[in-house]
Amino acid sequence: MVQQLIPPEIKPEIIYPDSDGNPMSDNTKQYEWIVKIKENLEILFAPNDDVFIAGDLLWYPVEGSVKTRQAPDVMVVFGRPKGDRGSYKQWQENNIPPQVVFEILSPGNTTKEMAKKILFYQRYGVEEYYIYNPDTIELTGFILEQECLEAIEDINNWVSPRLDIRFKLTADNLEIYYPHGGKFLTSVELNQRAEKEYQRAEQQQQRAEREKQRAEQEKQRAEQEKQRADQEQKNYQDLLAKLAAKGIDLNNL
């Protein structure tokens, strides 16, 4: 009797899409804020190799569940290395969830959609959640307390526990400040500041060059004055010698 071996069942590979088909933003204002927050956070944590920051990246918190996902406008993960990713699969990242999430509202966002998002972030371990509406200049913040995301009552001048950045609401804008006090800037503003710094450095270098040249000229003048004085002294000594040779002593005149 021939025993037939049954091959082990091969489970099909699960594909986790890198895109949900939705656009990164609905308008230019939303896009500019996403980029501004993401890039300034990149600058802030550039020295930290274990802080991963991403914009509009799909986050899969549960292995095997393709539909359990969100794509925060900006997310920050402490404890994970920087680098490119098609999506953030949490089980491949030491099971570390994003600790801080930002959402920038657009007219297309619904109350129901935002309610689902906050429940999702609460369930899967987000510690800080910030929602900004650039049209109404409204900032809402939530912080994790006893496994629940609780609303921050006074968000104006609030300092993020994780990021150490400060939020300030003005009459016409939201301003975000670095721990050292500098303000989050757009790429254009950063370039303008860099240009000004470059021009200032150039001017300082030119001033230093002029000072160096002036010092060199002063040194040359001093050398010339010394040479002239030495020559006059030599001429005087030569004259005394010639007079002495003729028997003339100036001291007796």
Side-chain angles (χ1 to χ4, degrees):
M1 181 177 178
V2 178
Q3 185 177 7
Q4 185 176 4
L5 296 177
I6 300 175
E9 182 181 356
I10 300 175
K11 294 183 179 180
E13 181 184 1
I14 299 175
I15 303 298
Y16 300 89
D18 290 344
S19 173
D20 57 6
N22 295 320
M24 178 177 176
S25 61
D26 292 339
N27 54 55
T28 56
K29 191 183 294 186
Q30 184 189 25
Y31 177 79
E32 287 171 1
W33 269 102
I34 293 171
V35 173
K36 182 178 181 178
I37 292 174
K38 191 261 184 187
E39 291 304 306
N40 278 270
L41 288 175
E42 291 277 17
I43 293 170
L44 175 59
F45 291 104
N48 302 81
D49 294 333
D50 62 344
V51 179
F52 172 67
I53 300 166
D56 194 43
L57 186 72
L58 278 174
W59 163 29
Y60 292 96
V62 181
E63 185 175 9
S65 182
V66 175
K67 293 184 179 181
T68 305
R69 65 190 185 185
Q70 281 293 343
D73 287 335
V74 180
M75 67 180 187
V76 184
V77 190
F78 290 84
R80 297 308 301 151
K82 301 182 189 303
D84 295 328
R85 292 163 173 81
S87 61
Y88 189 84
K89 303 179 183 70
Q90 189 171 312
W91 59 94
Q92 295 178 358
E93 307 281 356
N94 285 351
N95 206 34
I96 299 176
Q99 292 96 348
V100 185
V101 164
F102 291 83
E103 297 280 2
I104 308 300
L105 292 185
S106 70
N109 293 118
T110 65
T111 303
K112 183 178 180 180
E113 174 191 358
M114 299 312 294
K116 285 183 178 180
K117 284 187 176 182
I118 193 171
L119 290 174
F120 181 96
Y121 295 143
Q122 178 177 279
R123 179 176 182 180
Y124 293 109
V126 170
E127 298 174 12
E128 298 178 43
Y129 178 32
Y130 300 100
I131 307 168
Y132 179 56
N133 187 333
D135 292 323
T136 59
I137 321 296
E138 290 180 307
L139 175 67
T140 307
F142 298 88
I143 190 163
L144 190 66
E145 293 182 358
Q146 297 180 350
E147 300 184 357
C148 288
L149 282 171
E150 300 288 348
I152 299 168
E153 292 185 6
D154 189 4
I155 195 69
N156 196 23
N157 284 314
W158 169 264
V159 177
S160 161
R162 271 286 190 175
L163 307 177
D164 202 24
I165 60 176
R166 181 170 62 89
F167 302 94
K168 180 181 179 182
L169 288 165
T170 67
D172 57 358
N173 201 11
L174 166 66
E175 295 175 349
I176 306 176
Y177 291 88
Y178 285 85
H180 57 69
K183 188 163 67 173
F184 275 28
L185 301 175
T186 65
S187 57
V188 173
E189 291 169 334
L190 286 168
N191 183 67
Q192 290 172 342
R193 174 171 289 187
E195 284 292 331
K196 288 180 181 178
E197 290 296 330
Y198 176 77
Q199 292 173 3
R200 188 156 41 238
E202 283 288 308
Q203 291 169 354
Q204 289 177 348
Q205 185 175 357
Q206 291 171 2
R207 278 197 296 270
E209 285 293 330
R210 288 195 296 268
E211 289 296 328
K212 182 180 178 182
Q213 291 173 1
R214 196 156 36 238
E216 287 291 333
Q217 291 169 354
E218 290 294 332
K219 182 180 179 182
Q220 290 174 3
R221 275 196 292 270
E223 287 289 335
Q224 290 169 355
E225 288 295 329
K226 183 176 184 300
Q227 290 173 3
R228 189 159 42 244
D230 290 345
Q231 186 62 45
E232 288 178 355
Q233 180 67 21
K234 182 177 182 301
N235 292 341
Y236 178 71
Q237 293 297 329
D238 290 344
L239 176 61
L240 289 179
K242 289 177 181 179
L243 292 174
K246 294 179 179 181
I248 301 173
D249 185 354
L250 291 180
N251 292 325
N252 296 326
L253 292 179

